[in-house]
Amino acid sequence: MAQTRILSPAKNAYQYPLLIKQLLLSGPRYNPDQEIHYANRSKYTYTTLVERIHRLANALTDAGVKPGDTVAVMDWDTPRYLECFFAIPMIGAVLHTINVRLSPEQIVYTMNHAEDDVVLVHDDFLPILEGVKNEIETVKTYIQLTDSDSAADTSLDTAGEYEALLSQAGTEFDFPDFDENSVATTFYTTGTTGNPKGVYFSHRQLVLHTLAMTGSLAAYDEMPLLRSSSVYMPVTPMFHVHAWGVPYAATMMGIKQVYPGRYEPELLVDLLKEHKVTFSHCVPTIMQMMMATESIKTADLSNWHVLIGGSALTKGLCDAGAKLGIRMYTGYGMSETCPLLSATHLNPEDLELPLEQQTEKRVKTGIAVPMVEIEIVDPAGKPVPHDGEAKGEVVTRAPWLTQSYFKEPEKGEELWQGGWLHTGDVASMEPDNTLTIKDRIKDVIKTGGEWLSSLDLENLISQHPAVAGAAVVGVPDEKWGERPYALVTLKPGETASQEDIQKHLQQFVDSGDINKWAIPEQMDFVDDIPKTSVGKINKKLIRDQLK
Amino acid sequence: MAQTRILSPAKNAYQYPLLIKQLLLSGPRYNPDQEIHYANRSKYTYTTLVERIHRLANALTDAGVKPGDTVAVMDWDTPRYLECFFAIPMIGAVLHTINVRLSPEQIVYTMNHAEDDVVLVHDDFLPILEGVKNEIETVKTYIQLTDSDSAADTSLDTAGEYEALLSQAGTEFDFPDFDENSVATTFYTTGTTGNPKGVYFSHRQLVLHTLAMTGSLAAYDEMPLLRSSSVYMPVTPMFHVHAWGVPYAATMMGIKQVYPGRYEPELLVDLLKEHKVTFSHCVPTIMQMMMATESIKTADLSNWHVLIGGSALTKGLCDAGAKLGIRMYTGYGMSETCPLLSATHLNPEDLELPLEQQTEKRVKTGIAVPMVEIEIVDPAGKPVPHDGEAKGEVVTRAPWLTQSYFKEPEKGEELWQGGWLHTGDVASMEPDNTLTIKDRIKDVIKTGGEWLSSLDLENLISQHPAVAGAAVVGVPDEKWGERPYALVTLKPGETASQEDIQKHLQQFVDSGDINKWAIPEQMDFVDDIPKTSVGKINKKLIRDQLK
């Protein structure tokens, strides 16, 4: 360790722990009257947001919540949830954002594992909790969330309804200072194997993530993410990696926010139109659903910028969006990474091209954002060349990565090898530092000593005009180690045979895009491809079914 | 202290100390071929910048620099200085940015006080150091900086010339990790009383300052400070509070940078034109000098955005700039604050007004930037109303304020009272959170139990058509405590009497802008108003001369 000159470690006034409460300073200061909307139901100002956060802190404290406790939330995407993003960590408690799409068994597993003390639960999710009530171990009380005049009847032991509790609570809460390394949030990853694993983030980590996100995304030449005139609407759930952290950044900048509640495609498109939304983040599936609505055809979307993540942004989707005027960007990250690691970065020259010609750059995983180190490494941990061809596992260092998995230190050690967080993603890196994710390391098909990307193959199969979707997994093969196997769904009314698909792939062999051993000789046509709770292809299930 | 759940303090891989080396990650990654210019002398790319920073680290290490040492720089604004901003702290040493405008006696005082080990010095400043050579106590060696083919002859004991040393040095330096609270930079405030005082900033503080600055300024709707297409040229010296921290932010974002060297107004305007500069920061005096050049009349400045600080941006200057298309903003901060605390914040509605009508908002001190707390307090430390009228001392908390004054802890305690840094500035705050600095607390004229702003009075006097400039100080008065005294300079060829000025001021009494007791009955007309080394009115000297 270098012998630098170190500031006095005493608790002096100049020391300023990084706390989530500081993210709430500037937004209401810039724009006290700026609006926060709950779909087409209600709206309030930033001034009211601050008052409600103070009220919520008092209400939670009245309900027995202490610093260090864990408070869980099961809600749709609402301003209530935004209030929880702030109030719960700001009193020193841990916010557990429950993934409401998990099975009831998995939900109760995560609640017990996180040791939830209090749970805020929307009427719509009461049946889930009532069904597993006797398995819930640590919860002392529930607070009900409702979008009706009165909360639903329930057999759960509740402390009251959210709005009623807030209206009775004091309007001033003296939020304490504490160690910036205090845990602020926790939630569970939705892997396809084993139990969900808990990741967790500190106040310091969330503040740094917010600051870096604000700088890097606000600096986009064409992308009005976080400027005074921006309008933000999340379209990835708030339980999922802090809605990618954008609610914190948007609030810090004081911009208009629209929370859509449930993701009903027609409603989402209506809100886009009504509020002239300029920035959203979204997974491809939901984007496809929105683009399939009738009402989107009459929307002016030329000012809507969308960060796509969760699954790869395909050229087809990006092109279709461009035809509607939608500007899409790829963002890359994961539950373990808070999440932002990299995003599409367009130079002024790129932007001079017609939107349709920008797709090539927009579908790549982009360039690492400020403060993030990304490398691609071989199985021995050695960096592979940045030539756009060589594939390696993506490893990263950054100030906002989960320390471990909660109460599973051995899995945490596996995550952190050699001082880098191992993402489990396989990617190539171009000489201009653009990352392209090729596959999950466990989904890569190891055939004949080479790594074949299942994602690449799915993309190419999907370009056949009759194909709606494709899933490719590796199946054991005595001679080659593994061989690709494809599940294919066709568009309504279309037909195609295995030979048609193989012939279609042959053109990519001829053009040098893939090797001839990439063409699968095993293929099945199905009505539906198995998906996980967050809409990703469930390759584990496909492999299990093949056994 | 709240009992939060705190992350393990062990030195695990997930921990990521905030270090200046991380600010160098993203710029070269976004834009490896982006250019950094040295006036019209030379240019190189970000890739070269990184290589030169590694070479400089090796050269300094070869010259004996170790972590914890202090390395001082006396240079004009050059890419060399930018390299020093990174390489010196990145090896764990402390960068001392010497204020070359101080007197030789003050310079040697700061060098001895900071305990400089190595000094990088430009040919132009050799005579200063040679003149005080025998008083320099701690310097072991010098490195020469030159803009000629070979460095000037000197009686100082030098280790060689910068470029020669870099060309011989290795291109790879393994920059270590260390405690983020390690001191990175130090420099001396230029008060009008006593010896200069040393402030100092840690790696953590500079990283946080950079991140918050990037987010807050990049988010401006109209201000392309830190977008891919921006072009940055500093016009406040790099020795002065890290050139307001912008070189770090610009480098992090990978934008084009133009370092002007010396501040010759014609040269600055030529560089503006040639490089289509979009962002600068500047003190009013230099802006006036640039606006007085012939060549500015033929420049298209409609895309030039300038953050004005150091002294107040007057309406006159802002209006004159607007006529040329220049967009000016007020930034507020000081040596002790790294410096950024607040800046003009224009809402979309403000921007719809013609540029000339935006002056009112642009000349105020703006709204505190993210992560910064600002309050205005009375002498008892109690906040005064935010009504745009009540005046109080500006106090602040933020993650990037100096801990104390180096080796003067008692002055540091005076700076930090009640857990807030006391700026010594008097301001009012409007209900919309806009701060307006009224005066230095020591320059406020306490007359008849009220605080009269010397700055306000100077501004009003300056609006007389014959007046070039004015300085107002308080002089002791038996009846009123203090009374205002004005020093006035007239424009060439213009005349005005004391009565003319008083009559001019009477209209502001009539309109209710000032009270009638604000009109000074003592006034002198002079050729020059005494200024400090950084161009501020030297009120201490004026008061001393009056005694």
Side-chain angles (χ1 to χ4, degrees), chain B residues 28 80 86 99 123 125 128 163 179 189 197 233 241 261 283 293 309 352 354 406 419 475 502 528 546:
Chain B
R80 288 184 300 252
F86 284 93
N99 182 344
D123 288 347
F125 307 115
I128 298 176
E163 292 298 334
D179 190 320
T189 63
K197 300 192 290 278
M233 180 171 82
V241 210
V283 295
T293 60
E352 282 169 21
F406 189 44
V475 290
Q502 288 169 332
D528 278 309
L546 282 172

Side-chain angles (χ1 to χ4, degrees), chain B residues 60-176:
Chain B
L60 290 169
T61 304
D62 294 347
V65 174
K66 299 179 305 299
D69 284 358
T70 298
V71 180
V73 177
M74 297 178 80
D75 196 6
W76 304 108
D77 286 6
T78 66
R80 288 184 300 252
Y81 217 139
L82 181 67
E83 292 153 18
C84 291
F85 267 41
F86 284 93
I88 293 169
M90 281 167 65
I91 62 180
V94 178
L95 166 67
H96 173 197
T97 56
I98 292 178
N99 182 344
V100 296
R101 294 196 200 139
L102 294 178
S103 69
E105 293 68 32
Q106 284 180 312
I107 287 178
V108 77
Y109 171 85
T110 66
M111 290 171 67
N112 289 337
H113 191 270
E115 302 173 25
D116 293 346
D117 294 289
V118 173
V119 180
L120 286 73
V121 53
H122 188 279
D123 288 347
D124 292 350
F125 307 115
L126 283 173
I128 298 176
L129 295 189
E130 286 164 351
V132 293
K133 197 169 83 168
N134 295 333
E135 296 162 48
I136 299 172
E137 292 166 5
T138 59
V139 177
K140 300 180 188 80
T141 190
Y142 297 86
I143 291 171
Q144 285 187 261
L145 311 171
T146 187
D147 294 318
S148 308
D149 289 340
S150 59
D153 288 335
T154 177
S155 61
L156 298 176
D157 181 23
T158 85
E161 189 273 324
Y162 188 88
E163 292 298 334
L165 293 174
L166 257 60
S167 70
Q168 293 153 18
T171 57
E172 294 279 346
F173 189 93
D174 187 16
F175 290 103

Side-chain angles (χ1 to χ4, degrees), chain B residues 406-420:
Chain B
F406 189 44
K407 298 196 283 196
E408 301 190 270
E410 69 294 346
K411 289 186 183 159
E413 275 170 38
E414 205 176 305
L415 183 69
W416 283 99
Q417 294 165 42
W420 292 75

Side-chain angles (χ1 to χ4, degrees), chain A residues 88-126:
Chain A
I88 294 169
M90 279 165 67
I91 61 180
V94 178
L95 166 67
H96 174 197
T97 55
I98 292 179
N99 181 344
V100 297
R101 295 197 198 138
L102 294 177
S103 68
E105 293 69 33
Q106 284 180 311
I107 288 177
V108 76
Y109 171 85
T110 66
M111 291 170 69
N112 290 336
H113 192 269
E115 302 173 23
D116 292 346
D117 294 289
V118 173
V119 180
L120 285 74
V121 54
H122 188 280
D123 288 347
D124 292 350
F125 307 115
L126 283 173

